Amino acid sequence: MSRPTLRRARALAAFVALAFVFAGVADAQRRGGGGGGRSGGGGFERSGPAAHGSFSGGGGAARHSGEGRAAMQQRASGSARQGQAAQQRGTNQATRQQSASGAQQSRQSQQDANREDWQQQQGAMQEDRQQQQKDMQEDRQDAWDDAADDYHGGVYYGGNVHVYDSGDVAAATAIAVGTAVTVGAMQRMTTPTASAPAPCAMNSVVVGDATYYHCAPNWYQKAYVNGELSYVSVAPPPGF
Amino acid sequence: MSARSNRRAWLSGAASAAMLLAASAASAQPAASSAAANAARDPRAAAVVERMAETLVAAQALRVEGDIAWDVVQADGQTLEFGATRELVLRRPDRLRADLVLREGGERRLFYDGRQVVLHDPVHGVYAAIERSGPVGEVAAFVAERLGIPIALAELLSPDLAALLSEKIDAAHYVATETLDGVACDHVALRGAAGGMQLWVGTKDALPRRISITYEHEEGRPQFRARFADWDLSPRVPDATFVFDPPAGAEKIAFAVHGAPAPKEGPR
């Protein structure tokens, strides 16, 4: 088998299983309602790190915007942890030095000091590990929240999402760049509450082959954003 | 490196099944860990993974059904399980169909017919299509990376998969021979920076029966689980299976595409 053929075969083999776990997340997120699918019916979270079936610790499309930040935060956190580790090493060294000076005392005192040292070190290391775990969890949660906040605000990927007017990406014209609102969020925007009217009423207009949705003053078209059905902000259709 | 040795290297990285490993966010694994990883790779476990990969590669077409489930840790600490059933049909080199039905309702269907990728949501009555051609593996990577549709571990479709896996996998062990749904399976445990994965591979047919991934560093240690059933490596699949025929009244929408427009690509 030639190398290119082999490579394709491997990719296919991998894809067999990979494709099998595709897309469940986006659906789960979509069904989770608005806000990027962070919560759904009954107030339960329906998506999380494990929903992606990924060994990366839970990346996934809905978190793309947070990935850069997450990576940076992880790096920053890693640096912080390195600092903590260095500090811990310094502490350990100081402790060892204290132990060395304790060697001038009686053997019993030495043993007691060593035991206390060891216990202190173990305690400090345990605390350090727990703090690192906590830091990592907070970092991940922060990244997740940042991504979700972006989504809630309708700002998506800082303008890196492109929606085209045709399936031929190379030849198509971008009709929208940068903003999207989930179906769930849009439903909330267009649904009155007991205490307040809806921020806007949704109307649709068909122009040519395209359907535009008007939630004054903004115009939208539906699109799949990360596999999630969304409303993407667009320019008003001709004549409106 | 010869193709054979290259394949060996790839598989020794706990490989194709280990397709499910890797690509940890901690992408900067210390190089020193590679040596340790090699030492921790049980040859028997690697052989199971290799045989499974060879079996899948040899199949020119396949159909498989299964169930996936994932844990979601709630704010109060309780872990809930959500899931879906799905059916996958693949015909090499460039045909794919995947149908998903969520336990809570909701469906989505992915079509790839060698000319375009279509994502159809029959519940909301919408679909999006985008032109694409080429091997299904490359198209899958496009779907994951540019369309953002979460094909789990799509990064493993990288041509550099061997190196990637070699870096990411810390250990592979053979656990035991176990019986799942009346089928004798080899139970293999793989481990990477993000957590651990378990594979149950049929001892006779070398097909994966169950996969479990534990996110050990996430709060509550949630799991992703997939159970495969009804493997058919010689299905009769008509072309129409892969071709999307828009239902009456379905609204065509767009895909949001990440990044700058890609040059139009033909078959490779």
Side-chain angles (χ1 to χ4, degrees), chain A residues 6-32:
Chain A
L6 184 65
R7 185 177 300 145
R8 284 195 293 273
R10 288 173 187 156
L12 283 170
F15 185 67
V16 167
L18 299 181
F20 201 79
V21 290
F22 102 105
V25 182
D27 257 345
Q29 290 170 339
R30 189 197 65 222
R31 286 187 52 76

Side-chain angles (χ1 to χ4, degrees), chain B residues 119-130:
Chain B
L119 187 60
H120 177 217
D121 180 341
V123 174
H124 289 91
V126 300
Y127 70 96
I130 191 164

Side-chain angles (χ1 to χ4, degrees), chain B residues 174-254:
Chain B
Y174 187 90
V175 180
T177 301
E178 302 173 6
T179 302
L180 271 69
D181 298 329
V183 177
C185 294
D186 293 313
H187 180 186
V188 177
L190 308 173
R191 193 144 199 191
M197 186 182 75
Q198 300 175 75
L199 286 173
W200 286 263
V201 181
T203 55
K204 288 185 178 179
D205 60 16
L207 293 170
R209 301 286 171 177
R210 176 173 160 78
I211 294 170
S212 171
I213 304 173
T214 302
Y215 298 89
E216 298 173 351
H217 305 301
E218 298 291 344
E219 187 174 2
R221 297 167 58 90
Q223 282 193 335
F224 172 89
R225 296 171 289 277
R227 196 157 193 144
F228 304 93
D230 299 327
W231 281 96
D232 184 354
L233 301 188
S234 54
R236 292 183 177 180
V237 186
D239 288 345
T241 299
F242 308 101
V243 179
F244 176 66
D245 183 16
E251 179 184 356
K252 184 176 181 180
I253 64 175

Side-chain angles (χ1 to χ4, degrees), chain A residues 3 20 22 54-55 61 140 157, chain B residues 1 86 148 195 215 217 258:
Chain A
R3 191 166 298 177
F20 201 79
F22 102 105
S54 167
F55 204 67
R140 284 191 291 271
Y157 297 175
Chain B
M1 183 182 285
R86 74 181 63 218
Y215 298 89
H217 305 301
H258 292 276

Side-chain angles (χ1 to χ4, degrees), chain A residues 1-3 6-31 41 43-58 60-64 74 133 136-137 140-141 156-157 160-170 175 183 187 209 211 213 222-230 232, chain B residues 1 3 6-7 10 19-25 56-57 62 64-66 70-72 74 80 82 86 88 90 92 96 98 100 102 104-105 107-108 110 119-121 124 126 128-131 135-137 140 147-153 157 159 192-197 213 215 217-219 222-224 228 231 251 253-259 261-262 264:
Chain A
M1 188 179 288
S2 68
R3 191 166 298 177
L6 184 65
R7 185 177 300 145
R8 284 195 293 273
R10 288 173 187 156
L12 283 170
F15 185 67
V16 167
L18 299 181
F20 201 79
V21 290
F22 102 105
V25 182
D27 257 345
Q29 290 170 339
R30 189 197 65 222
R31 286 187 52 76
F44 295 115
E45 298 282 348
R46 279 162 167 75
S47 184
H52 297 266
S54 167
F55 204 67
S56 65
R63 299 168 72 177
H64 276 190
Q74 284 174 356
Q133 282 264 337
M136 290 172 68
Q137 288 176 358
R140 284 191 291 271
Q141 187 60 49
Y156 214 88
Y157 297 175
N160 288 329
V161 167
H162 300 246
V163 178
Y164 299 95
D165 63 352
S166 128
D168 184 346
V169 175
I175 58 173
V183 170
Q187 286 175 344
D209 295 331
T211 301
Y213 296 88
K222 288 181 181 175
Y224 277 120
V225 179
N226 294 326
E228 184 173 3
L229 184 57
S230 303
V232 178
Chain B
M1 183 182 285
N6 191 25
R7 178 171 61 83
W10 184 71
M19 49 189 141
L20 307 163
L21 275 187
S24 166
L56 295 176
V57 168
L62 64 83
V64 62
E65 296 178 4
W70 58 92
D71 294 337
V72 182
Q74 305 297 304
L80 301 183
F82 298 92
R86 74 181 63 218
L88 173 76
L90 172 70
R92 289 177 181 156
L96 175 71
L100 177 89
L102 288 162
E104 297 184 87
E107 297 179 40
R108 59 188 292 144
L110 181 75
L119 187 60
H120 177 217
D121 180 341
H124 289 91
V126 300
I130 191 164
E131 293 182 10
V136 69
L147 303 185
I149 297 174
I151 298 176
L153 304 171
L157 301 176
M197 186 182 75
I213 304 173
Y215 298 89
H217 305 301
E218 298 291 344
E219 187 174 2
Q223 282 193 335
F224 172 89
F228 304 93
W231 281 96
E251 179 184 356
I253 64 175
F255 278 118
V257 182
H258 292 276
K264 190 173 183 180

